[in-house]
Amino acid sequence: MKISKERCVGCANCVPICSVGAIYIGDDGLAEINTETCVECHNCYRSLSFEHLQPGLTRTIRRVLKKMSLRFQPDPDVCPTEAFIPDELSWPRIVRRAFSDPMVTHESTGVHGRGTEEVKTNDVSHRIKAGDVGVVIEFGRPGIGVYFREVQKATMALAAAGVVFEEGNPVTQMMADRAIGTIREDVLDEKVLSCIVEVTVSLADTAKALQTVKQICRAAETVISIGVSTVCNEDGSEPLREILEREGYQTGWAKVNLGLGRASNASISTGGTRS
Amino acid sequence: MTNTLHRFGTPDTLNNDFIVFAMAAKGFNEQGALDKAKAFLRAAIKYQPINMGNALVNSLYRPEKDLTFIKLYFVGRQQKTTYEKLIDEIPGPGSAAVVFDDPNKVKNFVRDVKQLDLGLSINISALVDDVRNICGEVEITPHAVEYTLGFHGDTSRLPERDTLSLTTMCGHGMVSANFAKKMIDRVKEGRMDPQEAACCMAKFCVCGVFNTTRAMRVLNRVKKGQ
Ligand code: SF4
Ligand code: SF4
Protein backbone atom coordinates (compact mmCIF):
# COMPACT_ATOMS: atom_id res chain seq x y z
CA MET A 1 0.00 0.00 0.00
CA LYS A 2 1.14 3.53 -0.69
CA ILE A 3 -0.07 7.02 0.21
CA SER A 4 0.24 9.70 -2.47
CA LYS A 5 2.35 12.66 -1.31
CA GLU A 6 0.50 14.77 -3.88
CA ARG A 7 -2.92 13.95 -2.47
CA CYS A 8 -2.35 13.54 1.29
CA VAL A 9 -3.08 16.63 3.40
CA GLY A 10 -1.77 15.19 6.66
CA CYS A 11 -5.05 15.07 8.59
CA ALA A 12 -3.78 11.88 10.37
CA ASN A 13 -7.19 10.15 10.24
CA CYS A 14 -5.63 7.04 8.72
CA VAL A 15 -2.96 6.69 11.45
CA PRO A 16 -5.12 4.80 14.00
CA ILE A 17 -7.02 2.89 11.28
CA CYS A 18 -4.05 0.72 10.28
CA SER A 19 -4.47 -2.81 11.60
CA VAL A 20 -0.78 -3.02 12.60
CA GLY A 21 0.13 0.61 13.27
CA ALA A 22 2.21 0.98 10.09
CA ILE A 23 0.92 4.48 9.17
CA TYR A 24 2.55 7.58 10.68
CA ILE A 25 2.91 11.27 9.91
CA GLY A 26 6.39 11.91 8.51
CA ASP A 27 8.70 14.91 8.95
CA ASP A 28 6.99 16.62 5.98
CA GLY A 29 3.65 16.54 7.83
CA LEU A 30 2.17 13.98 5.45
CA ALA A 31 1.18 10.35 6.04
CA GLU A 32 3.60 7.53 5.26
CA ILE A 33 3.47 3.75 5.50
CA ASN A 34 6.25 1.69 7.00
CA THR A 35 6.35 -0.97 4.28
CA GLU A 36 8.16 -3.46 6.48
CA THR A 37 5.37 -3.29 9.08
CA CYS A 38 2.46 -3.13 6.56
CA VAL A 39 0.77 -6.52 6.02
CA GLU A 40 -1.14 -5.42 2.87
CA CYS A 41 -4.52 -6.07 4.47
CA HIS A 42 -6.12 -3.21 2.44
CA ASN A 43 -8.07 -2.11 5.52
CA CYS A 44 -7.11 1.55 5.02
CA TYR A 45 -7.90 1.61 1.31
CA ARG A 46 -11.09 -0.43 1.56
CA SER A 47 -12.79 0.83 4.67
CA LEU A 48 -11.98 4.51 4.99
CA SER A 49 -14.68 6.61 3.36
CA PHE A 50 -13.35 8.96 0.67
CA GLU A 51 -14.12 12.59 0.11
CA HIS A 52 -12.66 14.12 -3.04
CA LEU A 53 -11.39 17.48 -1.84
CA GLN A 54 -8.79 19.31 -3.93
CA PRO A 55 -5.49 18.62 -2.07
CA GLY A 56 -3.82 22.02 -2.70
CA LEU A 57 -6.83 24.00 -1.57
CA THR A 58 -7.31 21.73 1.47
CA ARG A 59 -3.69 22.19 2.56
CA THR A 60 -4.10 25.98 2.32
CA ILE A 61 -7.31 25.87 4.37
CA ARG A 62 -5.53 23.68 6.96
CA ARG A 63 -2.66 26.18 7.21
CA VAL A 64 -5.02 29.15 7.60
CA LEU A 65 -7.09 27.35 10.25
CA LYS A 66 -3.91 26.38 12.12
CA LYS A 67 -2.86 30.05 12.27
CA MET A 68 -6.19 30.76 14.00
CA SER A 69 -5.58 27.81 16.39
CA LEU A 70 -8.41 25.90 14.70
CA ARG A 71 -8.25 22.39 13.35
CA PHE A 72 -9.39 20.86 10.05
CA GLN A 73 -10.93 17.63 11.28
CA PRO A 74 -12.83 15.32 8.91
CA ASP A 75 -15.01 12.52 10.37
CA PRO A 76 -12.70 9.86 11.89
CA ASP A 77 -13.41 7.30 9.16
CA VAL A 78 -12.77 9.65 6.21
CA CYS A 79 -9.69 10.28 4.05
CA PRO A 80 -10.60 13.71 2.62
CA THR A 81 -8.53 13.41 -0.54
CA GLU A 82 -8.59 9.70 -1.42
CA ALA A 83 -4.83 9.43 -1.06
CA PHE A 84 -4.35 5.64 -0.92
CA ILE A 85 -2.80 3.72 -3.82
CA PRO A 86 -2.74 -0.09 -3.63
CA ASP A 87 0.48 -1.64 -4.95
CA GLU A 88 0.65 -4.37 -7.58
CA LEU A 89 2.10 -7.12 -5.39
CA SER A 90 4.38 -9.86 -6.58
CA TRP A 91 5.77 -12.99 -4.92
CA PRO A 92 6.70 -13.24 -2.06
CA ARG A 93 5.10 -9.99 -0.81
CA ILE A 94 1.71 -11.07 -2.16
CA VAL A 95 1.68 -13.69 0.62
CA ARG A 96 1.09 -10.81 3.06
CA ARG A 97 -2.18 -9.92 1.38
CA ALA A 98 -3.33 -13.53 0.94
CA PHE A 99 -3.11 -14.04 4.71
CA SER A 100 -4.18 -10.57 5.87
CA ASP A 101 -6.99 -9.32 3.61
CA PRO A 102 -10.29 -11.05 4.50
CA MET A 103 -11.73 -10.23 1.08
CA VAL A 104 -9.09 -12.22 -0.79
CA THR A 105 -9.67 -15.91 -1.42
CA HIS A 106 -6.71 -18.02 -0.42
CA GLU A 107 -5.63 -20.08 -3.44
CA SER A 108 -4.83 -23.27 -1.56
CA THR A 109 -8.14 -23.48 0.32
CA GLY A 110 -10.65 -21.55 -1.76
CA VAL A 111 -11.91 -19.91 1.43
CA HIS A 112 -11.69 -16.27 2.42
CA GLY A 113 -9.36 -15.91 5.36
CA ARG A 114 -6.47 -17.66 6.94
CA GLY A 115 -7.36 -21.29 7.52
CA THR A 116 -9.57 -24.08 6.26
CA GLU A 117 -13.25 -24.57 7.01
CA GLU A 118 -12.26 -26.27 10.33
CA VAL A 119 -15.42 -27.84 11.83
CA LYS A 120 -17.67 -25.18 10.32
CA THR A 121 -18.59 -27.54 7.47
CA ASN A 122 -17.70 -30.80 9.20
CA ASP A 123 -21.33 -31.96 9.10
CA VAL A 124 -20.81 -32.21 5.33
CA SER A 125 -17.10 -32.96 4.90
CA HIS A 126 -16.63 -35.19 7.99
CA ARG A 127 -12.98 -34.17 7.97
CA ILE A 128 -12.67 -34.43 11.74
CA LYS A 129 -13.86 -37.83 12.86
CA ALA A 130 -15.47 -38.85 16.13
CA GLY A 131 -12.71 -39.32 18.69
CA ASP A 132 -10.46 -36.71 17.02
CA VAL A 133 -9.74 -33.16 18.13
CA GLY A 134 -8.88 -30.38 15.70
CA VAL A 135 -6.42 -27.85 17.13
CA VAL A 136 -6.12 -24.44 15.46
CA ILE A 137 -3.20 -22.29 16.54
CA GLU A 138 -3.49 -18.77 15.13
CA PHE A 139 -0.27 -16.79 15.27
CA GLY A 140 -0.43 -12.99 15.40
CA ARG A 141 -4.11 -12.80 16.37
CA PRO A 142 -5.54 -10.58 17.74
CA GLY A 143 -4.12 -7.56 15.95
CA ILE A 144 -0.36 -8.05 16.39
CA GLY A 145 0.86 -9.86 13.27
CA VAL A 146 3.64 -12.38 12.81
CA TYR A 147 6.59 -13.21 10.55
CA PHE A 148 6.70 -16.67 8.99
CA ARG A 149 10.17 -17.05 10.49
CA GLU A 150 8.51 -17.10 13.92
CA VAL A 151 5.73 -19.42 12.75
CA GLN A 152 8.42 -21.82 11.53
CA LYS A 153 9.85 -22.12 15.04
CA ALA A 154 6.44 -23.37 16.17
CA THR A 155 5.80 -25.68 13.21
CA MET A 156 9.22 -27.28 13.77
CA ALA A 157 8.43 -27.82 17.46
CA LEU A 158 5.06 -29.32 16.53
CA ALA A 159 6.63 -31.59 13.91
CA ALA A 160 9.19 -32.76 16.49
CA ALA A 161 6.25 -33.65 18.75
CA GLY A 162 4.96 -35.91 15.98
CA VAL A 163 1.80 -34.02 14.96
CA VAL A 164 0.30 -34.25 11.48
CA PHE A 165 -0.46 -30.92 9.80
CA GLU A 166 -3.87 -30.40 8.17
CA GLU A 167 -3.48 -30.94 4.42
CA GLY A 168 -5.77 -28.18 3.13
CA ASN A 169 -4.37 -25.46 5.38
CA PRO A 170 -2.52 -22.53 3.72
CA VAL A 171 0.49 -22.71 6.10
CA THR A 172 0.84 -26.46 5.46
CA GLN A 173 0.79 -25.68 1.75
CA MET A 174 3.76 -23.36 2.24
CA MET A 175 5.87 -25.90 4.09
CA ALA A 176 9.15 -27.04 2.54
CA ASP A 177 9.28 -30.24 4.60
CA ARG A 178 6.23 -31.23 6.62
CA ALA A 179 8.10 -33.95 8.49
CA ILE A 180 10.35 -31.36 10.15
CA GLY A 181 7.96 -28.40 9.89
CA THR A 182 10.11 -26.07 7.79
CA ILE A 183 8.45 -23.31 5.76
CA ARG A 184 9.69 -22.23 2.30
CA GLU A 185 12.74 -20.02 2.67
CA ASP A 186 11.44 -17.23 0.37
CA VAL A 187 8.46 -16.36 2.61
CA LEU A 188 10.19 -16.45 6.00
CA ASP A 189 10.70 -12.67 6.09
CA GLU A 190 7.09 -11.93 5.16
CA LYS A 191 4.80 -10.61 7.86
CA VAL A 192 1.07 -11.33 7.97
CA LEU A 193 -1.72 -10.16 10.24
CA SER A 194 -2.24 -13.74 11.33
CA CYS A 195 -1.96 -17.29 10.10
CA ILE A 196 -3.41 -20.54 11.34
CA VAL A 197 -1.54 -23.78 11.90
CA GLU A 198 -3.97 -26.71 12.10
CA VAL A 199 -3.35 -30.18 13.44
CA THR A 200 -5.57 -33.10 14.37
CA VAL A 201 -4.90 -35.25 17.42
CA SER A 202 -6.82 -38.04 19.11
CA LEU A 203 -9.03 -37.16 22.07
CA ALA A 204 -6.71 -39.17 24.30
CA ASP A 205 -3.70 -37.08 23.20
CA THR A 206 -5.41 -33.68 23.58
CA ALA A 207 -3.92 -32.77 26.95
CA LYS A 208 -0.41 -33.72 25.75
CA ALA A 209 -0.84 -31.72 22.52
CA LEU A 210 -2.00 -28.68 24.50
CA GLN A 211 1.09 -28.95 26.70
CA THR A 212 3.26 -28.76 23.55
CA VAL A 213 1.27 -25.75 22.34
CA LYS A 214 1.68 -24.12 25.76
CA GLN A 215 5.46 -24.51 25.51
CA ILE A 216 5.44 -22.93 22.05
CA CYS A 217 3.40 -20.04 23.43
CA ARG A 218 5.90 -19.43 26.23
CA ALA A 219 8.68 -18.75 23.72
CA ALA A 220 6.54 -16.66 21.35
CA GLU A 221 7.21 -13.01 20.53
CA THR A 222 3.69 -12.54 19.23
CA VAL A 223 0.22 -13.40 20.53
CA ILE A 224 -1.44 -16.71 19.72
CA SER A 225 -5.13 -17.62 19.75
CA ILE A 226 -5.97 -21.27 20.27
CA GLY A 227 -9.12 -23.12 19.32
CA VAL A 228 -10.04 -26.79 19.72
CA SER A 229 -12.92 -28.67 18.19
CA THR A 230 -14.56 -32.03 18.30
CA VAL A 231 -17.53 -33.92 16.89
CA CYS A 232 -20.49 -34.48 19.21
CA ASN A 233 -21.92 -37.84 20.24
CA GLU A 234 -25.31 -39.03 18.91
CA ASP A 235 -27.04 -37.26 21.81
CA GLY A 236 -25.19 -33.97 21.17
CA SER A 237 -22.87 -34.24 24.16
CA GLU A 238 -19.11 -34.19 23.73
CA PRO A 239 -16.15 -35.24 25.89
CA LEU A 240 -13.78 -32.36 25.07
CA ARG A 241 -15.17 -29.76 27.45
CA GLU A 242 -14.37 -31.89 30.47
CA ILE A 243 -10.78 -32.42 29.30
CA LEU A 244 -10.31 -28.69 28.72
CA GLU A 245 -11.73 -27.72 32.09
CA ARG A 246 -9.50 -30.29 33.76
CA GLU A 247 -6.53 -28.64 32.04
CA GLY A 248 -7.62 -25.28 33.49
CA TYR A 249 -9.13 -23.68 30.38
CA GLN A 250 -12.37 -21.70 30.44
CA THR A 251 -14.97 -22.95 27.98
CA GLY A 252 -17.47 -20.13 27.66
CA TRP A 253 -17.41 -18.93 24.07
CA ALA A 254 -17.65 -21.46 21.25
CA LYS A 255 -18.72 -22.05 17.71
CA VAL A 256 -21.37 -24.75 17.35
CA ASN A 257 -22.03 -26.56 14.08
CA LEU A 258 -25.75 -27.38 14.14
CA GLY A 259 -25.45 -30.36 11.80
CA LEU A 260 -27.95 -29.08 9.23
CA GLY A 261 -25.63 -29.41 6.19
CA ARG A 262 -25.48 -32.18 3.64
CA ALA A 263 -23.46 -33.02 0.54
CA SER A 264 -25.47 -32.19 -2.55
CA ASN A 265 -23.12 -31.61 -5.50
CA ALA A 266 -24.14 -33.69 -8.52
CA SER A 267 -21.06 -35.92 -8.28
CA ILE A 268 -21.46 -36.63 -4.57
CA SER A 269 -24.00 -38.84 -2.87
CA THR A 270 -26.35 -37.00 -0.56
CA GLY A 271 -27.14 -38.18 2.90
CA GLY A 272 -25.29 -36.24 5.59
CA THR A 273 -24.60 -39.13 7.91
CA ARG A 274 -23.04 -38.33 11.27
CA SER A 275 -19.57 -39.51 12.06
CA MET B 1 -15.23 -16.56 5.84
CA THR B 2 -16.50 -15.24 9.12
CA ASN B 3 -14.08 -15.33 11.96
CA THR B 4 -15.88 -15.35 15.26
CA LEU B 5 -14.13 -17.87 17.49
CA HIS B 6 -12.02 -15.57 19.61
CA ARG B 7 -14.22 -12.77 20.98
CA PHE B 8 -12.74 -11.36 24.16
CA GLY B 9 -14.83 -10.95 27.29
CA THR B 10 -16.20 -12.61 30.37
CA PRO B 11 -19.46 -14.61 30.23
CA ASP B 12 -21.16 -11.49 31.65
CA THR B 13 -19.96 -9.23 28.87
CA LEU B 14 -20.31 -11.79 26.08
CA ASN B 15 -23.98 -12.49 26.61
CA ASN B 16 -26.55 -11.51 23.99
CA ASP B 17 -23.95 -11.74 21.26
CA PHE B 18 -24.95 -14.35 18.66
CA ILE B 19 -23.49 -14.82 15.20
CA VAL B 20 -25.35 -17.29 13.01
CA PHE B 21 -23.70 -18.14 9.71
CA ALA B 22 -24.21 -20.41 6.73
CA MET B 23 -21.42 -21.99 4.68
CA ALA B 24 -21.02 -24.41 1.83
CA ALA B 25 -18.21 -27.00 1.90
CA LYS B 26 -15.86 -26.82 -1.04
CA GLY B 27 -16.27 -29.93 -3.19
CA PHE B 28 -19.40 -31.10 -1.38
CA ASN B 29 -22.29 -28.68 -1.70
CA GLU B 30 -21.19 -25.40 -3.27
CA GLN B 31 -23.42 -25.98 -6.29
CA GLY B 32 -26.47 -23.77 -5.84
CA ALA B 33 -24.97 -22.38 -2.63
CA LEU B 34 -25.35 -18.74 -3.68
CA ASP B 35 -29.15 -18.92 -3.83
CA LYS B 36 -29.22 -20.88 -0.58
CA ALA B 37 -27.03 -18.31 1.20
CA LYS B 38 -29.38 -15.58 -0.04
CA ALA B 39 -32.39 -17.56 1.21
CA PHE B 40 -30.66 -17.84 4.60
CA LEU B 41 -30.12 -14.08 4.79
CA ARG B 42 -33.64 -13.29 3.56
CA ALA B 43 -35.09 -15.53 6.27
CA ALA B 44 -33.23 -13.42 8.85
CA ILE B 45 -34.81 -10.11 7.78
CA LYS B 46 -38.03 -10.94 9.65
CA TYR B 47 -36.03 -10.85 12.89
CA GLN B 48 -34.17 -7.61 12.13
CA PRO B 49 -30.58 -8.73 12.77
CA ILE B 50 -28.32 -5.97 14.04
CA ASN B 51 -25.69 -6.77 11.42
CA MET B 52 -25.36 -8.94 8.34
CA GLY B 53 -22.57 -9.63 5.89
CA ASN B 54 -20.77 -11.63 3.29
CA ALA B 55 -17.01 -11.30 2.76
CA LEU B 56 -17.50 -10.86 -0.99
CA VAL B 57 -19.58 -7.70 -0.71
CA ASN B 58 -19.10 -6.20 2.77
CA SER B 59 -21.48 -5.75 5.69
CA LEU B 60 -24.59 -3.65 6.36
CA TYR B 61 -22.30 -0.91 7.64
CA ARG B 62 -19.93 0.23 4.93
CA PRO B 63 -17.74 3.10 3.82
CA GLU B 64 -18.91 5.75 1.37
CA LYS B 65 -16.45 6.19 -1.46
CA ASP B 66 -18.18 9.22 -2.98
CA LEU B 67 -18.54 11.71 -0.15
CA THR B 68 -19.08 15.33 -1.13
CA PHE B 69 -19.43 18.58 0.80
CA ILE B 70 -23.21 18.46 0.17
CA LYS B 71 -23.51 14.90 1.51
CA LEU B 72 -21.35 15.62 4.52
CA TYR B 73 -22.93 18.86 5.66
CA PHE B 74 -26.48 18.97 4.20
CA VAL B 75 -27.84 15.55 3.18
CA GLY B 76 -26.04 13.63 5.95
CA ARG B 77 -23.97 10.49 5.77
CA GLN B 78 -25.39 7.09 4.96
CA GLN B 79 -24.00 4.74 7.60
CA LYS B 80 -25.49 1.50 6.32
CA THR B 81 -27.18 -0.17 3.40
CA THR B 82 -30.43 -2.15 3.51
CA TYR B 83 -30.74 -5.91 4.06
CA GLU B 84 -32.31 -6.36 0.63
CA LYS B 85 -29.63 -4.40 -1.20
CA LEU B 86 -26.84 -6.30 0.50
CA ILE B 87 -28.41 -9.67 -0.38
CA ASP B 88 -29.00 -8.66 -4.01
CA GLU B 89 -25.35 -7.62 -4.37
CA ILE B 90 -23.79 -10.95 -3.34
CA PRO B 91 -22.04 -12.18 -6.50
CA GLY B 92 -21.04 -15.74 -5.60
CA PRO B 93 -21.02 -18.41 -2.92
CA GLY B 94 -19.31 -17.52 0.33
CA SER B 95 -20.27 -17.52 3.96
CA ALA B 96 -23.28 -15.46 5.00
CA ALA B 97 -23.55 -14.15 8.54
CA VAL B 98 -26.20 -12.48 10.68
CA VAL B 99 -25.77 -11.05 14.17
CA PHE B 100 -28.42 -10.90 16.87
CA ASP B 101 -28.54 -9.39 20.35
CA ASP B 102 -31.56 -11.40 21.51
CA PRO B 103 -31.65 -15.19 22.11
CA ASN B 104 -35.36 -15.40 21.28
CA LYS B 105 -34.75 -14.02 17.82
CA VAL B 106 -31.93 -16.51 17.30
CA LYS B 107 -34.20 -19.35 18.41
CA ASN B 108 -37.00 -18.37 16.02
CA PHE B 109 -34.60 -17.73 13.15
CA VAL B 110 -32.86 -21.10 13.60
CA ARG B 111 -36.25 -22.81 13.71
CA ASP B 112 -37.09 -21.20 10.35
CA VAL B 113 -33.70 -22.14 8.88
CA LYS B 114 -34.18 -25.75 9.97
CA GLN B 115 -37.53 -25.79 8.18
CA LEU B 116 -36.01 -24.26 5.04
CA ASP B 117 -33.69 -27.29 4.91
CA LEU B 118 -31.07 -25.50 2.80
CA GLY B 119 -28.40 -28.17 3.23
CA LEU B 120 -25.72 -25.58 4.04
CA SER B 121 -23.71 -25.90 7.24
CA ILE B 122 -25.19 -23.60 9.88
CA ASN B 123 -23.05 -22.52 12.84
CA ILE B 124 -23.69 -20.33 15.84
CA SER B 125 -20.91 -18.52 17.67
CA ALA B 126 -21.97 -17.48 21.16
CA LEU B 127 -21.70 -18.63 24.77
CA VAL B 128 -21.85 -22.40 24.39
CA ASP B 129 -24.52 -22.98 27.04
CA ASP B 130 -26.80 -20.42 25.39
CA VAL B 131 -26.42 -22.23 22.05
CA ARG B 132 -27.14 -25.57 23.67
CA ASN B 133 -30.33 -24.11 25.21
CA ILE B 134 -31.44 -22.87 21.80
CA CYS B 135 -30.65 -26.25 20.21
CA GLY B 136 -32.77 -27.95 22.87
CA GLU B 137 -35.72 -25.63 22.22
CA VAL B 138 -35.67 -26.10 18.44
CA GLU B 139 -34.84 -29.81 18.66
CA ILE B 140 -31.47 -29.75 16.96
CA THR B 141 -28.64 -32.10 17.96
CA PRO B 142 -25.37 -30.25 17.43
CA HIS B 143 -22.81 -31.90 15.17
CA ALA B 144 -19.58 -30.34 16.46
CA VAL B 145 -18.26 -27.75 18.90
CA GLU B 146 -15.16 -25.56 18.64
CA TYR B 147 -14.00 -23.83 21.83
CA THR B 148 -11.76 -20.82 22.12
CA LEU B 149 -8.96 -21.28 24.61
CA GLY B 150 -8.17 -17.57 24.55
CA PHE B 151 -5.00 -15.60 23.90
CA HIS B 152 -1.51 -16.84 24.71
CA GLY B 153 2.09 -16.01 23.83
CA ASP B 154 3.32 -12.48 24.50
CA THR B 155 0.01 -11.12 25.80
CA SER B 156 1.77 -8.00 27.13
CA ARG B 157 1.44 -6.75 23.53
CA LEU B 158 -2.38 -6.76 23.76
CA PRO B 159 -4.41 -3.63 24.53
CA GLU B 160 -6.52 -3.23 27.69
CA ARG B 161 -9.78 -5.19 28.07
CA ASP B 162 -12.35 -2.66 26.75
CA THR B 163 -10.32 -2.02 23.62
CA LEU B 164 -9.82 -5.77 23.18
CA SER B 165 -13.56 -6.41 23.61
CA LEU B 166 -14.19 -4.04 20.70
CA THR B 167 -11.36 -5.11 18.38
CA THR B 168 -12.06 -8.84 18.69
CA MET B 169 -15.60 -8.39 17.40
CA CYS B 170 -13.95 -8.32 13.97
CA GLY B 171 -12.07 -11.61 13.99
CA HIS B 172 -9.97 -10.55 11.02
CA GLY B 173 -8.43 -7.69 13.00
CA MET B 174 -9.83 -4.93 10.80
CA VAL B 175 -10.99 -2.86 13.80
CA SER B 176 -7.55 -1.85 15.00
CA ALA B 177 -6.67 -1.32 18.65
CA ASN B 178 -5.63 2.29 17.97
CA PHE B 179 -8.97 3.05 16.30
CA ALA B 180 -11.04 1.35 19.02
CA LYS B 181 -9.06 3.37 21.59
CA LYS B 182 -9.75 6.55 19.63
CA MET B 183 -13.47 5.76 19.65
CA ILE B 184 -13.40 5.09 23.41
CA ASP B 185 -11.61 8.40 24.00
CA ARG B 186 -14.04 10.34 21.80
CA VAL B 187 -17.01 8.87 23.64
CA LYS B 188 -15.45 9.63 27.02
CA GLU B 189 -14.68 13.18 25.93
CA GLY B 190 -18.29 13.63 24.80
CA ARG B 191 -17.23 14.24 21.19
CA MET B 192 -19.13 11.21 19.83
CA ASP B 193 -22.05 9.25 21.17
CA PRO B 194 -21.71 5.46 21.67
CA GLN B 195 -24.00 4.69 18.75
CA GLU B 196 -21.99 6.80 16.30
CA ALA B 197 -18.74 5.24 17.51
CA ALA B 198 -20.15 1.70 17.24
CA CYS B 199 -21.35 2.34 13.65
CA CYS B 200 -18.00 3.84 12.77
CA MET B 201 -16.14 0.72 13.91
CA ALA B 202 -18.67 -1.66 12.28
CA LYS B 203 -17.75 -0.26 8.85
CA PHE B 204 -14.31 -1.84 9.10
CA CYS B 205 -15.62 -5.39 9.71
CA VAL B 206 -16.30 -6.62 6.19
CA CYS B 207 -17.92 -9.94 7.15
CA GLY B 208 -20.61 -8.10 9.11
CA VAL B 209 -20.04 -9.91 12.40
CA PHE B 210 -19.35 -6.81 14.52
CA ASN B 211 -22.06 -6.58 17.18
CA THR B 212 -22.99 -2.89 17.43
CA THR B 213 -25.25 -3.43 20.46
CA ARG B 214 -22.44 -5.03 22.43
CA ALA B 215 -20.05 -2.29 21.29
CA MET B 216 -22.50 0.33 22.62
CA ARG B 217 -22.70 -1.60 25.89
CA VAL B 218 -18.90 -1.43 26.24
CA LEU B 219 -18.82 2.25 25.24
CA ASN B 220 -21.65 3.23 27.57
CA ARG B 221 -19.83 1.59 30.44
CA VAL B 222 -16.48 3.26 29.76
CA LYS B 223 -18.24 6.58 29.18
CA LYS B 224 -19.36 6.51 32.79
CA GLY B 225 -15.83 5.68 33.92
CA GLN B 226 -16.82 2.16 35.01
S1 SF4 C 1 -6.48 10.21 5.90
FE1 SF4 C 1 -5.79 10.70 3.84
S2 SF4 C 1 -5.29 12.89 3.88
FE2 SF4 C 1 -5.46 12.23 6.02
S3 SF4 C 1 -3.33 11.73 6.58
FE3 SF4 C 1 -4.27 9.81 5.87
S4 SF4 C 1 -3.79 9.72 3.68
FE4 SF4 C 1 -3.39 11.81 4.34
S1 SF4 D 1 -2.69 -2.12 3.97
FE1 SF4 D 1 -3.20 -2.70 6.10
S2 SF4 D 1 -1.22 -2.86 7.13
FE2 SF4 D 1 -0.86 -1.72 5.23
S3 SF4 D 1 -1.07 0.43 5.79
FE3 SF4 D 1 -3.11 -0.21 5.10
S4 SF4 D 1 -4.16 -0.87 6.98
FE4 SF4 D 1 -1.95 -0.75 7.45
Side-chain angles (χ1 to χ4, degrees):
Chain A
M1 187 62 65
K2 276 196 185 73
I3 293 173
S4 159
K5 289 277 179 196
E6 281 72 46
R7 300 207 64 81
C8 176
V9 296
C11 72
N13 258 0
C14 54
V15 172
I17 296 299
C18 176
S19 48
V20 288
I23 308 179
Y24 61 99
I25 299 295
D27 294 340
D28 56 3
L30 304 176
E32 277 173 40
I33 296 174
N34 180 326
T35 48
E36 188 39 52
T37 308
C38 168
V39 291
E40 304 288 359
C41 66
H42 276 216
N43 193 29
C44 48
Y45 174 71
R46 178 182 50 246
S47 295
L48 277 167
S49 292
F50 292 150
E51 203 184 346
H52 307 276
L53 295 180
Q54 210 279 326
L57 179 68
T58 312
R59 275 189 217 111
T60 309
I61 293 170
R62 266 171 66 80
R63 251 178 258 127
V64 172
L65 288 174
K66 203 174 171 188
K67 286 228 157 69
M68 300 191 292
S69 295
L70 291 170
R71 228 176 117 98
F72 164 85
Q73 192 62 70
D75 285 353
D77 60 327
V78 173
C79 172
T81 52
E82 197 187 356
F84 288 86
I85 310 167
D87 281 320
E88 280 289 328
L89 301 175
S90 56
W91 187 270
R93 192 166 174 95
I94 200 163
V95 167
R96 295 188 182 223
R97 186 159 183 220
F99 279 85
S100 307
D101 182 345
M103 291 192 104
V104 168
T105 306
H106 204 290
E107 275 174 33
S108 64
T109 59
V111 295
H112 287 83
R114 291 143 210 185
T116 61
E117 292 163 4
E118 298 158 22
V119 288
K120 293 190 279 275
T121 55
N122 205 69
D123 49 344
V124 176
S125 69
H126 301 291
R127 202 170 52 78
I128 293 183
K129 311 275 181 242
D132 282 350
V133 172
V135 184
V136 289
I137 312 155
E138 188 163 357
F139 294 85
R141 176 177 177 177
I144 301 297
V146 67
Y147 284 92
F148 277 107
R149 197 172 287 288
E150 183 169 4
V151 178
Q152 181 178 251
K153 282 187 211 156
T155 48
M156 288 179 78
L158 285 164
V163 303
V164 179
F165 298 104
E166 162 62 33
E167 173 63 34
N169 172 284
V171 176
T172 310
Q173 295 289 319
M174 291 208 311
M175 285 186 180
D177 186 337
R178 292 180 199 184
I180 51 171
T182 47
I183 294 175
R184 326 174 24 153
E185 185 72 34
D186 54 353
V187 300
L188 291 179
D189 290 328
E190 297 305 327
K191 183 187 171 193
V192 294
L193 192 48
S194 78
C195 68
I196 301 176
V197 173
E198 287 176 86
V199 300
T200 304
V201 296
S202 71
L203 202 57
D205 288 341
T206 306
K208 202 173 114 211
L210 288 175
Q211 287 298 333
T212 307
V213 174
K214 240 185 204 168
Q215 257 166 25
I216 289 168
C217 291
R218 261 183 228 123
E221 287 166 35
T222 186
V223 287
I224 300 166
S225 301
I226 305 170
V228 282
S229 58
T230 198
V231 173
C232 299
N233 301 320
E234 286 291 333
D235 65 355
S237 64
E238 48 78 18
L240 180 60
R241 186 170 183 168
E242 200 187 312
I243 296 174
L244 296 175
E245 287 174 357
R246 215 171 36 230
E247 289 298 306
Y249 293 101
Q250 285 191 343
T251 51
W253 187 267
K255 193 183 286 175
V256 180
N257 179 326
L258 302 187
L260 299 177
R262 64 174 173 278
S264 57
N265 282 357
S267 56
I268 289 168
S269 68
T270 55
T273 50
R274 296 171 70 82
S275 71
Chain B
M1 173 81 73
T2 59
N3 208 322
T4 52
L5 184 61
H6 301 295
R7 271 152 128 90
F8 177 81
T10 59
D12 269 359
T13 62
L14 284 164
N15 67 9
N16 293 336
D17 187 7
F18 298 89
I19 306 102
V20 189
F21 59 95
M23 264 183 105
K26 200 177 165 230
F28 292 91
N29 61 357
E30 74 268 43
Q31 289 170 7
L34 172 60
D35 288 339
K36 290 175 182 176
K38 287 186 175 191
F40 169 84
L41 292 174
R42 284 205 181 94
I45 296 175
K46 188 170 149 194
Y47 302 105
Q48 299 286 296
I50 51 169
N51 205 349
M52 178 185 274
N54 162 283
L56 295 172
V57 293
N58 219 318
S59 74
L60 273 186
Y61 297 87
R62 52 182 66 185
E64 295 157 278
K65 295 297 189 188
D66 55 353
L67 282 175
T68 58
F69 186 81
I70 306 275
K71 273 192 187 170
L72 272 168
Y73 299 102
F74 296 100
V75 181
R77 295 191 59 184
Q78 195 190 1
Q79 306 286 4
K80 63 200 269 205
T81 187
T82 62
Y83 300 124
E84 291 79 5
K85 222 168 159 192
L86 184 152
I87 296 167
D88 288 345
E89 278 171 2
I90 300 174
S95 68
V98 285
V99 183
F100 292 99
D101 56 4
D102 176 350
N104 282 319
K105 287 186 176 181
V106 182
K107 183 181 71 190
N108 292 328
F109 172 56
V110 170
R111 188 178 280 130
D112 291 357
V113 170
K114 186 184 166 192
Q115 263 163 19
L116 279 174
D117 191 23
L118 298 167
L120 297 176
S121 295
I122 309 292
N123 290 254
I124 305 179
S125 291
L127 290 170
V128 67
D129 292 335
D130 292 348
V131 183
R132 284 198 174 277
N133 285 340
I134 289 167
C135 286
E137 289 189 55
V138 297
E139 295 175 0
I140 282 176
T141 309
H143 165 77
V145 181
E146 182 167 19
Y147 294 102
T148 174
L149 302 187
F151 308 135
H152 305 266
D154 188 357
T155 51
S156 67
R157 298 181 70 180
L158 291 174
E160 52 76 39
R161 63 175 187 164
D162 295 316
T163 306
L164 201 54
S165 298
L166 295 171
T167 60
T168 55
M169 281 197 279
C170 168
H172 289 113
M174 297 294 108
V175 178
S176 75
N178 289 331
F179 189 55
K181 183 76 181 61
K182 179 172 174 176
M183 292 296 100
I184 287 175
D185 289 345
R186 288 219 165 175
V187 167
K188 285 190 89 154
E189 290 160 7
R191 295 165 68 197
M192 263 176 123
D193 66 44
Q195 190 180 4
E196 270 179 287
C199 291
C200 210
M201 284 183 280
K203 289 179 196 171
F204 289 82
C205 170
V206 289
C207 301
V209 298
F210 189 89
N211 184 328
T212 44
T213 307
R214 186 168 163 235
M216 281 189 269
R217 224 157 68 200
V218 172
L219 292 165
N220 272 315
R221 199 170 42 70
V222 295
K223 183 180 167 71
K224 292 177 196 142
Q226 290 170 345

